[in-house]
Amino acid sequence: MLVALIQKLEKDLQEFYQLDINKNTDDINIPDFKEWVLKLFGEKAPVKEYTNFITNVNGVNYNGLYLYGIKPTDYRLDIIYNNDAWHEIEIQKKYLFFGHDDLSWYVWNKESEEFQLIDKPGGEIIEVYKNLNDLMEEALCTALS
């Protein structure tokens, strides 16, 4: 289902905005990302799941949804840049942020080792997902609806 949602997103971007989707990152950028993640979140961080995801889409801004990538062409979609900003608030340092929209954050919680949809204003857990693909499916379904 995730691939179908990404294809729909790609079609919409081309049809309505004449934009191409950021396909993937250069492999040269992945080691820096892995080093950064492991330093902040440890060995249990979902590095492999995320690097698999960005082979399909490496950062996107669509209909209020921002999914982060590894050194995408738009720095505002960079996962490290955004996590550094969100981590300025101490309580948010437990999250690896994968993206956000107007109302929510899409994260991995280091303490509970869960993929979560978090209410942006209040920080409450809206839903827990079994893996990153399920979390990203939720994000894309919301943006495409």
Side-chain angles (χ1 to χ4, degrees):
M1 182 168 158
L2 182 61
V3 172
L5 290 168
I6 292 169
Q7 289 171 342
K8 168 91 170 95
L9 172 69
E10 184 173 24
K11 182 180 175 230
D12 284 2
L13 283 171
Q14 290 173 347
E15 184 176 327
F16 299 118
Y17 305 104
Q18 294 74 47
L19 295 173
D20 291 324
I21 198 166
N22 294 323
K23 284 288 190 185
N24 56 28
T25 189
D26 293 330
D27 288 343
I28 196 165
N29 296 323
I30 292 176
D32 291 340
F33 167 75
K34 286 181 180 178
E35 181 181 326
W36 173 81
V37 167
L38 294 174
K39 180 181 172 189
L40 290 178
F41 297 98
E43 293 292 327
K44 294 190 178 186
V47 172
K48 185 160 181 61
E49 285 185 86
Y50 181 70
T51 54
N52 286 341
F53 173 74
I54 63 164
T55 61
N56 294 304
V57 57
N58 184 36
V60 68
N61 172 4
Y62 178 80
N63 200 21
L65 172 67
Y66 296 81
L67 293 181
Y68 310 144
I70 299 174
K71 297 197 178 182
T73 53
D74 182 348
Y75 76 92
R76 296 169 298 176
L77 295 174
D78 185 73
I79 192 165
I80 294 174
Y81 174 84
N82 280 283
N83 273 270
D84 286 347
W86 297 125
H87 290 165
E88 288 181 10
I89 299 171
E90 188 66 31
I91 196 165
Q92 294 179 172
K93 289 184 178 181
K94 66 183 175 182
Y95 299 123
L96 173 54
F97 292 86
F98 296 111
H100 72 274
D101 60 28
D102 292 339
L103 301 174
S104 308
W105 287 303
Y106 300 90
V107 304
W108 178 75
N109 184 323
K110 174 183 174 179
E111 294 173 356
S112 64
E113 298 180 15
E114 295 174 328
F115 294 94
Q116 300 174 340
L117 177 62
I118 303 289
D119 174 60
K120 204 180 216 181
E124 299 296 319
I125 298 170
I126 297 170
E127 193 161 346
V128 174
Y129 298 87
K130 65 180 179 177
N131 58 49
L132 180 63
N133 283 352
D134 289 352
L135 179 67
M136 294 294 98
E137 284 177 11
E138 174 65 27
L140 290 168
C141 281
T142 299
L144 289 166
S145 61

